[in-house]
Coordinates of all heavy atoms in Angstrom, one line a residue:
M17 N 0.9 -1.2 0.0 CA 0.0 0.0 0.0 C 0.9 1.2 0.0 O 1.8 1.3 0.8 CB -0.9 0.0 1.2 CG -1.9 1.1 1.3 SD -2.7 1.2 2.9 CE -4.2 0.4 2.5
N18 N 0.6 2.2 -0.8 CA 1.5 3.4 -0.9 C 1.0 4.4 0.2 O -0.1 4.4 0.6 CB 1.6 3.9 -2.3 CG 0.6 5.0 -2.7 OD1 0.2 5.8 -1.9 ND2 0.2 5.0 -4.0
S19 N 1.9 5.3 0.6 CA 1.6 6.2 1.7 C 0.6 7.3 1.3 O 0.0 7.9 2.2 CB 2.9 6.8 2.2 OG 3.5 7.6 1.1
D20 N 0.4 7.5 0.0 CA -0.6 8.5 -0.4 C -2.0 8.0 -0.4 O -3.0 8.7 -0.5 CB -0.3 9.0 -1.8 CG 1.0 9.8 -1.8 OD1 1.4 10.4 -0.8 OD2 1.7 9.8 -2.9
D21 N -2.2 6.7 -0.2 CA -3.5 6.0 -0.3 C -3.9 5.6 1.1 O -3.4 4.7 1.7 CB -3.4 4.8 -1.2 CG -4.7 4.2 -1.5 OD1 -5.7 4.8 -1.2 OD2 -4.7 3.0 -2.0
D22 N -5.0 6.3 1.6 CA -5.5 6.1 2.9 C -6.2 4.7 3.0 O -6.2 4.0 4.0 CB -6.4 7.2 3.4 CG -5.6 8.4 3.8 OD1 -4.4 8.4 4.0 OD2 -6.3 9.5 3.8
Q23 N -7.0 4.4 1.9 CA -7.7 3.2 1.9 C -7.4 2.4 0.6 O -7.4 3.0 -0.5 CB -9.2 3.5 1.9 CG -9.7 4.1 3.2 CD -11.2 4.3 3.3 OE1 -11.8 4.2 2.3 NE2 -11.7 4.5 4.4
G24 N -7.1 1.2 0.8 CA -6.7 0.4 -0.3 C -7.4 -0.9 -0.3 O -8.3 -1.1 0.6
P25 N -7.0 -1.9 -1.1 CA -7.7 -3.1 -1.1 C -7.5 -3.9 0.2 O -8.3 -4.8 0.4 CB -7.0 -3.9 -2.3 CG -5.7 -3.1 -2.6 CD -5.9 -1.7 -2.1
N26 N -6.5 -3.6 1.0 CA -6.3 -4.3 2.2 C -6.8 -3.6 3.4 O -6.6 -4.0 4.5 CB -4.8 -4.6 2.4 CG -4.2 -5.5 1.4 OD1 -4.9 -6.3 0.9 ND2 -2.9 -5.2 1.0
D27 N -7.6 -2.6 3.2 CA -8.3 -1.8 4.3 C -9.6 -2.5 4.6 O -10.6 -2.4 3.9 CB -8.5 -0.4 3.9 CG -9.0 0.4 5.1 OD1 -9.0 -0.1 6.2 OD2 -9.4 1.6 4.8
Y28 N -9.7 -3.3 5.7 CA -10.8 -4.1 6.0 C -11.9 -3.3 6.8 O -13.0 -3.8 6.9 CB -10.4 -5.3 6.8 CG -9.5 -6.2 5.9 CD1 -8.1 -6.2 6.2 CD2 -10.0 -6.9 4.9 CE1 -7.3 -7.0 5.4 CE2 -9.2 -7.7 4.1 CZ -7.8 -7.7 4.3 OH -7.0 -8.5 3.6
C29 N -11.6 -2.2 7.3 CA -12.5 -1.4 8.1 C -13.3 -0.5 7.1 O -12.8 0.5 6.7 CB -11.9 -0.6 9.2 SG -13.0 0.1 10.3
L30 N -14.5 -0.9 6.8 CA -15.2 -0.2 5.8 C -16.3 0.7 6.3 O -17.1 1.2 5.6 CB -15.9 -1.2 4.8 CG -15.0 -2.2 4.2 CD1 -15.7 -3.2 3.3 CD2 -14.0 -1.5 3.3
I31 N -16.3 1.0 7.6 CA -17.2 1.8 8.3 C -16.9 3.3 8.0 O -15.8 3.7 8.2 CB -17.3 1.6 9.8 CG1 -17.7 0.1 10.0 CG2 -18.2 2.5 10.5 CD1 -17.4 -0.3 11.4
D32 N -17.9 4.1 7.6 CA -17.8 5.5 7.4 C -17.8 6.2 8.8 O -18.8 6.1 9.5 CB -18.9 6.0 6.5 CG -18.8 7.5 6.2 OD1 -17.7 8.1 6.5 OD2 -19.7 8.1 5.6
A33 N -16.7 6.8 9.2 CA -16.6 7.3 10.5 C -17.0 8.8 10.6 O -16.7 9.5 11.6 CB -15.2 7.2 11.0
T34 N -17.7 9.3 9.6 CA -18.1 10.7 9.6 C -19.2 10.9 10.7 O -20.0 10.0 10.9 CB -18.6 11.2 8.3 OG1 -19.7 10.4 7.9 CG2 -17.5 11.2 7.2
R35 N -19.1 12.0 11.4 CA -20.1 12.3 12.4 C -20.8 13.6 12.1 O -20.2 14.5 11.6 CB -19.4 12.4 13.8 CG -18.6 11.1 14.1 CD -17.8 11.3 15.3 NE -18.6 11.0 16.5 CZ -18.2 11.1 17.7 NH1 -17.0 11.6 18.0 NH2 -19.0 10.8 18.7
P36 N -22.0 13.7 12.6 CA -22.7 15.0 12.4 C -22.1 16.1 13.3 O -21.4 15.8 14.2 CB -24.1 14.7 12.9 CG -24.2 13.3 13.4 CD -22.8 12.7 13.2
P37 N -22.3 17.4 12.9 CA -21.7 18.4 13.7 C -22.3 18.5 15.1 O -23.5 18.3 15.2 CB -22.0 19.7 12.9 CG -23.2 19.3 12.1 CD -23.1 17.8 11.8
K38 N -21.6 18.9 16.1 CA -22.1 19.0 17.5 C -23.0 20.3 17.5 O -22.8 21.3 16.9 CB -21.0 19.2 18.5 CG -20.0 18.1 18.6 CD -20.5 17.0 19.5 CE -19.5 15.9 19.5 NZ -19.8 14.8 20.3
A39 N -24.1 20.2 18.3 CA -25.0 21.3 18.4 C -24.5 22.3 19.4 O -23.9 21.9 20.4 CB -26.4 20.8 18.8
D40 N -24.8 23.6 19.2 CA -24.4 24.6 20.2 C -25.4 24.6 21.3 O -25.0 25.1 22.4 CB -24.3 26.0 19.5 CG -23.2 26.1 18.5 OD1 -22.2 25.4 18.7 OD2 -23.4 26.8 17.5
G41 N -26.6 24.1 21.2 CA -27.6 24.1 22.2 C -28.9 23.5 21.7 O -28.9 23.0 20.6
P42 N -29.9 23.4 22.5 CA -31.2 22.8 22.1 C -31.7 23.5 20.9 O -31.4 24.7 20.7 CB -32.1 23.0 23.3 CG -31.2 23.4 24.5 CD -29.9 24.0 23.9
P43 N -32.6 22.9 20.1 CA -33.1 21.6 20.3 C -32.1 20.5 19.8 O -31.4 20.8 18.8 CB -34.4 21.6 19.4 CG -34.1 22.6 18.4 CD -33.2 23.6 19.0
Y44 N -32.1 19.4 20.4 CA -31.2 18.3 20.0 C -32.0 17.2 19.3 O -33.1 17.0 19.6 CB -30.5 17.7 21.3 CG -29.7 18.6 22.0 CD1 -30.1 19.1 23.3 CD2 -28.4 19.1 21.5 CE1 -29.3 20.0 24.0 CE2 -27.6 19.9 22.2 CZ -28.1 20.4 23.5 OH -27.3 21.3 24.1
A45 N -31.3 16.5 18.4 CA -31.9 15.4 17.7 C -32.1 14.2 18.7 O -31.3 14.1 19.6 CB -31.0 15.0 16.5
E46 N -33.1 13.4 18.4 CA -33.3 12.2 19.3 C -32.4 11.1 18.8 O -32.1 10.9 17.6 CB -34.8 11.7 19.1 CG -35.8 12.6 19.9 CD -37.2 11.9 19.8 OE1 -37.4 11.0 19.0 OE2 -38.0 12.4 20.6
C47 N -32.0 10.2 19.7 CA -31.3 9.0 19.4 C -32.2 8.1 18.6 O -33.3 7.9 19.0 CB -30.8 8.3 20.7 SG -29.9 6.8 20.4
V48 N -31.7 7.5 17.5 CA -32.5 6.6 16.7 C -32.8 5.3 17.4 O -33.7 4.6 17.0 CB -31.9 6.3 15.3 CG1 -31.8 7.6 14.5 CG2 -30.6 5.7 15.5
Q49 N -32.1 5.0 18.5 CA -32.3 3.7 19.2 C -33.2 3.9 20.5 O -34.1 3.2 20.7 CB -31.0 3.0 19.5 CG -30.4 2.4 18.3 CD -29.2 1.6 18.6 OE1 -28.5 1.8 19.6 NE2 -28.9 0.7 17.8
C50 N -32.8 4.8 21.3 CA -33.4 4.9 22.7 C -34.2 6.2 22.8 O -34.9 6.4 23.8 CB -32.4 4.9 23.8 SG -31.3 6.3 23.9
R51 N -34.2 7.1 21.8 CA -35.0 8.3 21.8 C -34.6 9.4 22.8 O -35.2 10.4 23.0 CB -36.5 8.0 22.0 CG -37.1 6.9 21.2 CD -37.3 7.2 19.8 NE -38.4 8.1 19.6 CZ -38.9 8.5 18.4 NH1 -38.2 8.1 17.4 NH2 -39.9 9.2 18.3
E52 N -33.4 9.2 23.4 CA -32.8 10.2 24.3 C -32.2 11.3 23.5 O -31.9 11.1 22.3 CB -31.7 9.6 25.2 CG -32.3 8.6 26.2 CD -33.1 9.2 27.3 OE1 -32.7 10.3 27.8 OE2 -34.2 8.7 27.7
P53 N -32.0 12.5 24.1 CA -31.4 13.6 23.3 C -29.9 13.3 23.0 O -29.3 12.6 23.8 CB -31.5 14.8 24.3 CG -32.4 14.4 25.3 CD -32.5 12.9 25.4
T54 N -29.5 13.7 21.8 CA -28.1 13.5 21.4 C -27.3 14.8 21.6 O -27.9 15.8 22.1 CB -28.0 13.0 20.0 OG1 -28.5 14.1 19.1 CG2 -28.9 11.8 19.7
E55 N -26.1 14.8 21.1 CA -25.3 16.0 21.1 C -25.4 16.7 19.8 O -24.7 17.7 19.6 CB -23.8 15.6 21.4 CG -23.6 14.9 22.7 CD -22.1 14.3 22.8 OE1 -21.5 14.1 21.7 OE2 -21.7 14.1 23.9
Y56 N -26.3 16.3 18.9 CA -26.3 16.8 17.6 C -27.6 17.6 17.4 O -28.6 17.4 18.0 CB -26.3 15.6 16.6 CG -25.1 14.7 16.9 CD1 -25.3 13.4 17.3 CD2 -23.8 15.2 16.7 CE1 -24.2 12.6 17.6 CE2 -22.7 14.4 17.0 CZ -22.9 13.1 17.4 OH -21.9 12.3 17.7
P57 N -27.5 18.6 16.4 CA -28.7 19.5 16.2 C -29.9 18.7 15.7 O -29.7 17.7 14.9 CB -28.2 20.5 15.2 CG -27.0 19.9 14.6 CD -26.4 18.9 15.6
E58 N -31.1 19.1 16.0 CA -32.3 18.5 15.5 C -32.4 18.7 14.0 O -33.0 17.8 13.4 CB -33.5 19.2 16.2 CG -34.8 18.5 16.0 CD -35.9 19.1 16.8 OE1 -36.2 20.3 16.5 OE2 -36.5 18.5 17.7
S59 N -31.8 19.7 13.4 CA -31.9 19.9 12.0 C -31.0 18.9 11.2 O -31.2 18.8 10.0 CB -31.4 21.3 11.7 OG -30.1 21.5 12.1
Y60 N -30.1 18.1 11.8 CA -29.3 17.2 11.1 C -30.1 16.1 10.5 O -30.9 15.5 11.2 CB -28.2 16.6 12.1 CG -27.3 15.6 11.4 CD1 -26.4 16.0 10.5 CD2 -27.5 14.2 11.5 CE1 -25.6 15.1 9.8 CE2 -26.7 13.3 10.9 CZ -25.7 13.8 10.0 OH -25.0 12.9 9.4
K61 N -29.9 15.8 9.2 CA -30.6 14.8 8.5 C -29.7 13.6 8.5 O -28.7 13.6 7.8 CB -31.0 15.2 7.1 CG -31.8 16.5 7.0 CD -33.2 16.2 7.4 CE -34.1 17.4 7.2 NZ -34.7 18.0 8.3
G62 N -30.1 12.5 9.2 CA -29.3 11.3 9.2 C -29.4 10.6 10.5 O -30.2 11.0 11.4
I63 N -28.6 9.5 10.6 CA -28.7 8.7 11.9 C -27.9 9.4 13.0 O -26.8 9.8 12.8 CB -28.1 7.3 11.6 CG1 -28.9 6.6 10.5 CG2 -28.0 6.5 12.9 CD1 -28.4 5.3 10.1
T64 N -28.6 9.6 14.1 CA -27.9 10.2 15.3 C -28.1 9.3 16.5 O -29.2 8.6 16.7 CB -28.5 11.6 15.6 OG1 -30.0 11.4 15.8 CG2 -28.2 12.6 14.5
Y65 N -27.1 9.1 17.3 CA -27.1 8.3 18.5 C -26.7 9.2 19.7 O -25.9 10.1 19.6 CB -26.0 7.2 18.4 CG -26.3 6.2 17.3 CD1 -25.5 6.1 16.2 CD2 -27.3 5.2 17.5 CE1 -25.7 5.1 15.3 CE2 -27.5 4.2 16.6 CZ -26.7 4.2 15.4 OH -26.9 3.2 14.5
C66 N -27.3 8.8 20.8 CA -26.8 9.4 22.1 C -25.5 8.9 22.4 O -25.0 7.9 21.8 CB -27.8 9.1 23.2 SG -27.8 7.4 23.8
P67 N -24.7 9.5 23.3 CA -23.4 9.0 23.6 C -23.3 7.5 24.0 O -22.4 6.8 23.6 CB -22.9 9.9 24.7 CG -23.6 11.2 24.5 CD -25.0 10.7 24.0
V68 N -24.3 7.0 24.7 CA -24.3 5.6 25.2 C -24.5 4.7 24.0 O -23.7 3.8 23.7 CB -25.4 5.4 26.2 CG1 -25.5 3.9 26.5 CG2 -25.0 6.2 27.5
C69 N -25.5 5.0 23.2 CA -25.8 4.1 22.0 C -24.7 4.3 20.9 O -24.4 3.3 20.3 CB -27.2 4.5 21.4 SG -28.6 4.0 22.5
E70 N -24.1 5.4 20.8 CA -23.0 5.6 19.9 C -21.8 4.7 20.3 O -21.2 4.1 19.4 CB -22.6 7.1 19.9 CG -21.6 7.4 18.8 CD -21.4 8.9 18.6 OE1 -21.9 9.7 19.4 OE2 -20.7 9.3 17.7
W71 N -21.5 4.7 21.5 CA -20.4 3.8 22.0 C -20.8 2.4 21.8 O -19.9 1.6 21.3 CB -20.2 4.1 23.5 CG -19.0 3.3 24.1 CD1 -17.7 3.6 24.0 CD2 -19.1 2.0 24.8 NE1 -17.0 2.6 24.6 CE2 -17.8 1.7 25.1 CE3 -20.2 1.2 25.1 CZ2 -17.6 0.5 25.8 CZ3 -19.9 0.1 25.8 CH2 -18.6 -0.3 26.1
Q72 N -22.0 2.0 22.1 CA -22.4 0.6 21.9 C -22.4 0.2 20.4 O -21.9 -0.9 20.1 CB -23.8 0.3 22.5 CG -23.8 0.4 24.0 CD -25.2 0.3 24.6 OE1 -26.2 0.6 23.9 NE2 -25.3 0.0 25.9
E73 N -22.8 1.1 19.6 CA -22.8 0.8 18.1 C -21.3 0.7 17.6 O -21.0 -0.2 16.8 CB -23.5 1.9 17.4 CG -23.6 1.7 15.9 CD -24.5 0.5 15.4 OE1 -25.2 0.0 16.3 OE2 -24.4 0.2 14.2
A74 N -20.4 1.5 18.2 CA -19.0 1.4 17.8 C -18.4 0.1 18.2 O -17.6 -0.5 17.5 CB -18.3 2.6 18.4
Q75 N -18.8 -0.3 19.4 CA -18.3 -1.6 19.9 C -18.8 -2.8 19.0 O -18.1 -3.7 18.7 CB -18.7 -1.9 21.4 CG -18.1 -0.9 22.3 CD -16.6 -1.2 22.4 OE1 -16.1 -2.3 22.5 NE2 -15.8 -0.1 22.3
R76 N -20.1 -2.7 18.6 CA -20.7 -3.7 17.9 C -20.1 -3.8 16.5 O -19.9 -4.9 15.9 CB -22.2 -3.5 17.8 CG -23.0 -4.6 17.1 CD -24.5 -4.2 17.0 NE -24.7 -3.2 16.0 CZ -24.7 -3.4 14.7 NH1 -24.4 -4.6 14.2 NH2 -25.0 -2.4 13.9
T77 N -19.7 -2.7 15.9 CA -19.3 -2.7 14.5 C -17.7 -2.6 14.4 O -17.2 -2.4 13.3 CB -19.9 -1.6 13.7 OG1 -19.6 -0.3 14.3 CG2 -21.4 -1.7 13.6
A78 N -17.0 -2.6 15.5 CA -15.6 -2.4 15.5 C -14.9 -3.5 14.7 O -15.3 -4.7 14.6 CB -15.0 -2.5 16.9
C79 N -13.9 -3.1 14.0 CA -13.1 -4.0 13.2 C -12.2 -4.9 14.1 O -11.6 -4.3 15.1 CB -12.1 -3.3 12.3 SG -13.0 -2.3 11.1
S80 N -12.2 -6.1 13.9 CA -11.3 -7.0 14.7 C -10.1 -7.3 13.7 O -10.3 -7.8 12.6 CB -12.0 -8.2 15.2 OG -12.5 -8.9 14.1
G81 N -8.9 -7.0 14.2 CA -7.8 -7.1 13.3 C -6.9 -8.2 13.6 O -5.9 -8.6 13.2

C-alpha cells in the first residue's frame, strides 16, 4: 500500500466514521435507538445516536484485526 493512499484493497474497516456536527444548544436530535437527546442538532438529517448508543454501536461494528 502506498503512503498517499489512505484506503486500499487491504483496508478491512469499511465503516464510514463521519459524524454530524455538534449542536451549540437545544433543540437536540433524538437518538434513533433509545429516543434520548443526542449531542447533535435537531436539524441534522441522518442517523444520530446518544453518547451511550453511539459507544455501543461502535463496539458492535468495531473491526477486529
